[in-house]
Amino acid sequence: MDECRWGKITSWKLAGFGFGLGAFFGLLLVCERGFVFGLDHANLLFHEAGHPIIGLFSSRLETYGGTIGQLAFPVLLAVSFWRKGQALSFAASIIWFFENGLNIARYMADARALELPLVGGGDHDWNTIFTRWNVLQYDLNIAGTVKCIGWIGMTLPILWVVWRWWCDRKRPDESAE
Ligand SMILES: [Zn+2]
């Protein structure tokens, strides 16, 4: 057991985490059509930053840069919190990573419909990518799968946190998260 790897999750911290999750999933349900206010604005920012950054290395990969960009930031956060042993922040980063899956799925599902407003009015990433891969007619199926992975990926860190809290019950309080 890696008991010392992570800071202790007390019942109070678990309650705070649960409260935050409740607000998050509430927002997710309220924001119909998959755009979560605030969070997806941040995702969009990292998406738009990703295109030119990846584009520096390869113009062919630039199309993928947006998706890479929006996934990279939660990964960097998760690695940082993992190294610090901050279990709740780590879990939140993973949840954010997979929430991006819903955001990406929404964009994928639009590959043929081309109805979403695009920032900068440029190319539609997923229309370009799916056309390149010759799978454009499967856009809704692929989007459905990614959405499903997103939901599973958001659920697992929650179970992990509850499991850690359960294991931490008898642990002394000294280590601060
Ligand atoms: Zn893009």
Side-chain angles (χ1 to χ4, degrees), residues 138-151:
Y138 302 115
D139 60 350
L140 294 179
N141 305 61
I142 298 170
T145 307
V146 169
K147 194 174 176 180
C148 200
I149 293 169
W151 277 105

Side-chain angles (χ1 to χ4, degrees), residues 47-48 51 62-63 65-67 70 107 119 123-125:
H47 179 105
E48 292 308 323
H51 281 303
E62 187 168 355
T63 316
T67 306
Q70 73 186 95
Y107 197 4
V119 173
D123 293 339
H124 191 295
D125 295 357

